[in-house]
Amino acid sequence: AVTISDPLTGLSQTFSTLLPGNTVTLNEQYTVTQQDLDGGSVVNTATATGEDPNQVQLQRTASATATALQNPGIGLIKVSDKKEYSQLGEVITYTLTVENTGNETLDNVTVTDPLTGLNQNVGTLSPGQNTTLTTTYTVTQQDIDRGKIDNIGTVTGEDPNQTTVTATAQAVSTAVQTSDLILTKTVTPSTYDQVGDVLTYTLSATNSGNVTLTAVTISDPLTGLSQTFSTL
């Protein structure tokens, strides 16, 4: 009664006799799990037991190790709902999709977006699994003057060996810039009837575009006015 057992595969087979010099060979299969990939190896130990004519029990074990080819990876896709913007206070929504692109489970998966202030831990991602986050940003005057918003997001994660993987993604929105300047002028009083009357002129310069103007100068040769404003 020679019995060969392998707990990992569920094998348990008994042979009534095994003659000296003879060998029995068994083939068995095992399907790798995610836990095996995360663990780095499959160590499989089998046991053979038998009894000789004197009823002496014999037991022997043998092990075989298969090593995992671990390949941790992570990906990030980032898109904005507006490719263009033109107004102060406009809200741009960013959608960030994180995916585990490797073959190991990733823990402590964290997505950051400095521009919007996003810093979120999404937990654990299995291979092939993804998750999506949204975050928003409000357009400033500086963004319109600059001409574009270049927003870069980052994701990091750790595999079971505490190896850190990271990925970045970029979304660019372009400003639709319009520059214009309006000058209005009024006089008080609107009539005069004698030498020495004083006419008062009011000049208003309005930035009617959406970008900041610099070195705005208002001049009036008749009165000798020439005044410059650094920004408008």
Side-chain angles (χ1 to χ4, degrees):
V2 177
T3 300
I4 300 174
S5 61
D6 187 336
L8 183 67
T9 64
L11 173 72
S12 181
Q13 190 164 344
T14 300
F15 303 88
S16 57
T17 59
L18 185 60
L19 297 176
N22 284 9
T23 300
V24 292
T25 300
L26 301 175
N27 292 315
E28 53 179 345
Q29 292 182 330
Y30 173 73
T31 301
V32 171
T33 67
Q34 186 59 54
Q35 192 174 19
D36 297 325
L37 281 167
D38 294 342
S41 65
V42 176
V43 180
N44 186 5
T45 301
T47 302
T49 59
E51 188 177 284
D52 73 3
N54 300 314
Q55 297 184 329
V56 174
Q57 292 285 336
L58 301 174
Q59 185 178 84
R60 299 291 183 269
T61 60
S63 296
T65 300
T67 301
L69 297 177
Q70 295 174 316
N71 182 30
I74 198 167
L76 179 65
I77 298 173
K78 182 175 188 177
V79 295
S80 65
D81 67 336
K82 293 181 179 178
K83 297 300 182 184
E84 295 181 336
Y85 60 94
S86 60
Q87 295 181 2
L88 176 68
E90 263 188 85
V91 176
I92 299 176
T93 299
Y94 296 96
T95 302
L96 298 95
T97 302
V98 182
E99 183 177 1
N100 183 340
T101 59
N103 66 356
E104 295 180 274
T105 300
L106 297 178
D107 294 316
N108 196 30
V109 177
T110 301
V111 183
T112 58
D113 187 333
L115 183 68
T116 66
L118 176 70
N119 187 344
Q120 187 168 339
N121 188 315
V122 298
T124 300
L125 287 181
S126 302
Q129 185 180 6
N130 63 66
T131 189
T132 299
L133 302 174
T134 58
T135 184
T136 60
Y137 176 72
T138 301
V139 173
T140 67
Q141 186 59 53
Q142 195 173 28
D143 297 322
I144 297 174
D145 294 342
R146 186 184 298 113
K148 69 175 182 176
I149 297 173
D150 191 357
N151 188 2
I152 299 175
T154 303
V155 62
T156 59
E158 294 179 355
D159 77 353
N161 303 311
Q162 295 187 325
T163 298
T164 299
V165 290
T166 186
T168 60
Q170 182 181 42
V172 179
S173 299
T174 304
V176 179
Q177 296 175 316
T178 56
S179 57
D180 201 0
L181 183 64
I182 296 174
L183 179 65
T184 60
K185 185 175 185 179
T186 60
V187 60
T188 303
S190 59
T191 61
Y192 59 93
D193 58 9
Q194 58 183 335
V195 175
D197 281 354
V198 176
L199 303 178
T200 300
Y201 295 96
T202 302
L203 297 92
S204 298
T206 301
N207 181 344
S208 56
N210 69 354
V211 292
T212 301
L213 300 177
T214 60
V216 178
T217 300
I218 301 175
S219 61
D220 188 334
L222 181 67
T223 64
L225 173 72
S226 180
Q227 189 167 343
T228 300
F229 302 88
S230 58
T231 59
L232 184 59

